[in-house]
Amino acid sequence: MSDDRLMLLDTAALYFRAFFALPETITAPDGTPVNAVRGLLDMIARLVTDFRPAALVACWDDDWRPQWRVDLVPSYKAHRVAEAGSETETVPDALTRQVPVIGAVLTALGIPIVGAPDHEADDVIGTLAATAERPVDVVTGDRDLFQVIDDARDVRVLSTVRGMSKLEVVTDEVLRGKYGIAAAQYADYAALRGDSSDGLPGVAGIGEKTASGLLREFGDLDALLAAVKDPSIPLSASVRAKLRAGAEYLERARPVVAVVRDLDLPAVDGTLGRALDADAFARLAEQWGLRGSAERVLAALRSPYQT
């Protein structure tokens, strides 16, 4: 191991990706689909092999759509709700049945599962990344987590947007090249331009280029909104009008977009292999027909201690 890195998994994002990437015909001996389970194990095996973290934590959505965020922006993730008035996310039954298996398998592998009441995995990741006293890799396909990147503390994102075979290591330097802003500005940027994947409308008429340019000029939303109210500060009439119309939305959207960084989380030790229960994992692998995926993840988790 090179630098004692902590790897934080955006777990649901990964097992959703695995489920849709692999056919449901991958089943356990009893016929239960296990494509998401096997896919997640293969992802973990690859991540550990390629990036050699010293510790691994599976961050969990205890609440995928917290009410306090919905109260602020009612459209937040509304399109993912199964039916009007329901708080159940649209999740295929074949995946729902695999989530408890994923939890049992991760536990047997000694990978801590960490969630927090009324909060999403993003908030758990934000807190663990902010408080870690070691370099951090965040594995996610969620652009909102770009806000936790910190080159000074060596916190980076391993983005799965283009797939596991084309992981992108995202740093502050990469963000500046892509969006023209720093990681510390990303939450303000997302609030301004909106995010359809999360049901955030953004400010009408403010797209990515305009949002990026405004933040480069003014630094953050506080300074930008202050400029809107100050006629002596040069700002086009069109942009000023759009921001004035969207000011109330921006005030509500900011805490929705911003990940929480100060949750009261239990202390966890995700050191690879330390809490591995090989017998329990072997039983689960047999029960659920995990075969090669089980062998690959075991080899990856044990390899740092064999060199």
Side-chain angles (χ1 to χ4, degrees):
M1 291 171 289
S2 58
D3 53 11
D4 195 37
R5 303 193 76 85
L6 167 64
M7 180 172 283
L8 304 175
L9 304 180
D10 186 358
T11 315
L14 296 181
Y15 65 63
F16 264 86
R17 176 175 288 274
F19 176 79
F20 288 108
L22 298 174
E24 290 178 43
T25 51
I26 298 175
T27 59
D30 68 357
T32 302
V34 290
N35 54 329
V37 185
R38 287 178 60 179
L40 179 62
L41 291 181
D42 283 339
M43 288 179 179
I44 292 172
R46 180 164 189 162
L47 287 163
V48 171
T49 300
D50 290 352
F51 293 95
R52 301 294 295 273
L56 186 63
V57 174
C59 301
W60 208 258
D61 284 315
D62 274 15
D63 189 340
W64 71 278
R65 189 176 181 241
Q67 188 60 47
W68 61 270
R69 282 190 163 111
V70 176
D71 289 343
L72 288 166
V73 179
S75 63
Y76 182 64
K77 294 185 178 180
H79 59 297
R80 302 188 199 178
V81 174
E83 58 185 299
S86 169
E87 288 304 313
T88 302
E89 187 176 16
T90 305
V91 180
D93 180 64
L95 175 55
T96 300
R97 294 160 64 191
Q98 296 182 61
V99 175
V101 182
I102 288 170
V105 166
L106 291 175
T107 299
L109 288 171
I111 299 172
I113 297 172
V114 181
D118 303 318
H119 288 84
E120 303 170 56
D122 287 13
D123 302 312
V124 176
I125 289 170
T127 297
L128 292 176
T131 56
E133 297 180 354
R134 63 205 307 182
V136 176
D137 283 337
V138 175
V139 185
T140 184
D142 186 350
R143 291 189 300 173
D144 282 345
L145 281 166
F146 287 164
Q147 63 190 278
V148 307
I149 290 170
D150 186 341
D151 284 3
R153 297 181 54 246
D154 199 4
V155 177
R156 60 191 188 179
V157 164
L158 307 182
S159 176
T160 64
V161 168
R162 296 186 296 176
M164 290 298 296
S165 63
K166 297 180 180 179
L167 283 178
E168 182 180 18
V169 179
V170 185
T171 61
D172 233 327
E173 182 180 358
V174 171
L175 275 185
R176 288 186 185 279
K178 279 180 173 289
Y179 303 107
I181 56 170
Q185 297 171 300
Y186 194 86
D188 286 351
Y189 170 76
L192 276 168
R193 60 123 166 92
D195 188 340
S196 59
S197 67
D198 280 340
L200 296 171
V203 175
I206 301 294
E208 293 192 356
K209 289 184 179 179
T210 302
S212 175
L214 289 169
L215 288 172
R216 284 197 302 274
E217 181 176 358
F218 294 98
D220 59 26
L221 272 182
D222 287 333
L224 178 57
L225 292 175
V228 169
K229 298 175 183 177
D230 186 346
S232 69
I233 296 178
L235 196 62
S236 79
S238 173
V239 169
R240 192 184 298 275
K242 291 171 183 175
L243 291 172
R244 185 178 290 118
E248 182 183 350
Y249 159 77
L250 285 173
E251 290 295 342
R252 290 184 283 107
R254 293 172 76 182
V256 173
V257 175
V259 299
V260 178
R261 302 176 191 239
D262 59 356
L263 293 175
D264 184 13
L265 298 176
V268 293
D269 180 1
T271 301
L272 292 189
R274 180 165 292 175
L276 170 64
D277 187 334
D279 291 338
F281 184 69
R283 289 192 295 271
L284 289 167
E286 178 69 21
Q287 177 183 357
W288 298 107
L290 303 178
R291 298 185 290 278
S293 296
E295 295 174 2
R296 286 187 288 274
V297 76
L298 278 178
L301 292 176
R302 287 169 167 165
S303 63
Y305 303 97
Q306 296 173 347
T307 58

